[in-house]
Amino acid sequence: SSTAMAEVAVAPPSLLDLSDFRPENKTKAEFRIYDATNPRFELVRETYRQMHVSQTHAYATAERERWCRFDHAHMKAMDVLFELNKLVDDSDPDIDLPNSFHAFQTAERIREKHPDKDWFQLTGLLHDIGKIIALWGQPQWSTVGDTFVTGCAPSPAIVFTEQFADNPDTHDPRYNTKLGVYSANCGLDQVTMSWGHDEYLFHVLTHHGTTLPSEALYMIRYHSFYPWHTGNDYDYLCNEHDRAMLPWVREFNKFDLYSKSDAVPDVEQLTPYYQGLIDKYCPGVIAW
């Protein structure tokens, strides 16, 4: 609502960039060690603790149902992207560029390496716009961070996996076995992921009838699913289509890195090109 948006302007919420702590995003010299010498470590660990304790199978199921009513706003994709500039990343005082700049940087990196795949470029631009839910009151632990499968035992590949000891599902025989409520190789489209911006945007775009290919939708839905695409776990839930899409998700993640050394993109000059791609693959006003 406009009232909620007005409140945001007064006190913008802040989102941590939890990816800062991922070893695969750093050289050994620049990787931030997981210990008390890093002032942000406790903040990141606490965000994950809230996620790992609170994201039960019932919670993730209820959030999907709530957000998939698509009754929060009617907005065009590009408007949502620029609306996200109201989000402040207070986790890194050195970064004062608007959120949209990272989106254009990612898209342009992809365009340089994959000039023939306009759908891939557009995915780079839009992949994080599901974070709009943070402007509509969604807590950080249910918006950002690595995702995982609910309804079965947590993978040891999940960061801070010991925190799941305090998740009620860990002590529920329905959910605490390797397969839990699922059958082997049922396919990732049959599982309930922890709730966050990836899952939300996937449902928003498919509900809208996007013509983005399956590869793009996997990149959007699973780019934070690190225990799968980087931890090499959860194959026991995957079907052949999931396995065929995995290399595309990994290819996407090569480009989704923040770098202060990157040239600041000329957003004004680039906008018409990307608006053309939006018009091609997910045009018009979208229900959020």
Side-chain angles (χ1 to χ4, degrees), residues 168-188:
D169 287 1
T170 303
H171 311 286
D172 189 323
R174 292 173 297 174
Y175 307 129
N176 63 8
T177 60
K178 183 173 180 176
L179 288 173
V181 296
Y182 309 114
S183 56
N185 307 113
C186 59
L188 292 179

Side-chain angles (χ1 to χ4, degrees), residues 252-288:
F252 171 79
N253 272 70
K254 292 179 191 172
F255 300 98
D256 185 23
L257 303 171
Y258 192 95
S259 171
K260 292 173 193 163
S261 60
D262 276 359
V264 176
D266 185 338
V267 170
E268 201 173 329
Q269 185 222 332
L270 293 170
T271 297
Y273 172 74
Y274 285 101
Q275 184 59 55
L277 299 189
I278 289 172
D279 294 342
K280 179 177 176 180
Y281 290 107
C282 45
V285 175
I286 299 171
W288 295 85

Side-chain angles (χ1 to χ4, degrees), residues 118-266:
D118 60 356
W119 57 267
F120 195 174
Q121 299 159 27
L122 181 61
T123 302
L125 186 78
L126 300 182
H127 73 283
D128 271 346
I129 65 172
K131 290 179 181 178
I132 191 76
I133 60 177
L135 289 176
W136 298 331
Q138 194 71 352
Q140 182 155 264
W141 54 264
S142 192
T143 301
V144 294
D146 295 5
T147 57
F148 57 92
V149 181
T150 70
C152 63
S155 159
I158 302 171
V159 66
F160 299 117
T161 191
E162 70 282 355
Q163 295 171 338
F164 283 95
D166 294 324
N167 184 307
D169 287 1
T170 303
H171 311 286
D172 189 323
R174 292 173 297 174
Y175 307 129
N176 63 8
T177 60
K178 183 173 180 176
L179 288 173
V181 296
Y182 309 114
S183 56
N185 307 113
C186 59
L188 292 179
D189 63 335
Q190 298 300 307
V191 309
T192 301
M193 297 296 296
S194 56
W195 186 257
H197 72 280
D198 323 51
E199 189 72 9
Y200 177 58
L201 182 60
F202 166 79
H203 288 292
V204 165
L205 292 180
T206 51
H207 176 255
H208 186 63
T210 181
T211 55
L212 282 168
S214 186
E215 291 85 348
L217 293 173
Y218 266 74
M219 293 169 184
I220 287 166
R221 191 175 197 179
Y222 300 117
H223 67 271
S224 299
F225 191 15
Y226 272 77
W228 180 50
H229 64 64
T230 302
N232 301 305
D233 208 347
Y234 288 113
D235 184 70
Y236 47 90
L237 295 175
C238 295
N239 60 25
E240 286 310 312
H241 186 60
D242 298 327
R243 291 173 184 137
M245 293 296 104
L246 180 54
W248 287 100
V249 178
R250 287 175 170 155
E251 179 65 14
F252 171 79
N253 272 70
K254 292 179 191 172
F255 300 98
D256 185 23
L257 303 171
Y258 192 95
S259 171
K260 292 173 193 163
S261 60
D262 276 359
V264 176
D266 185 338

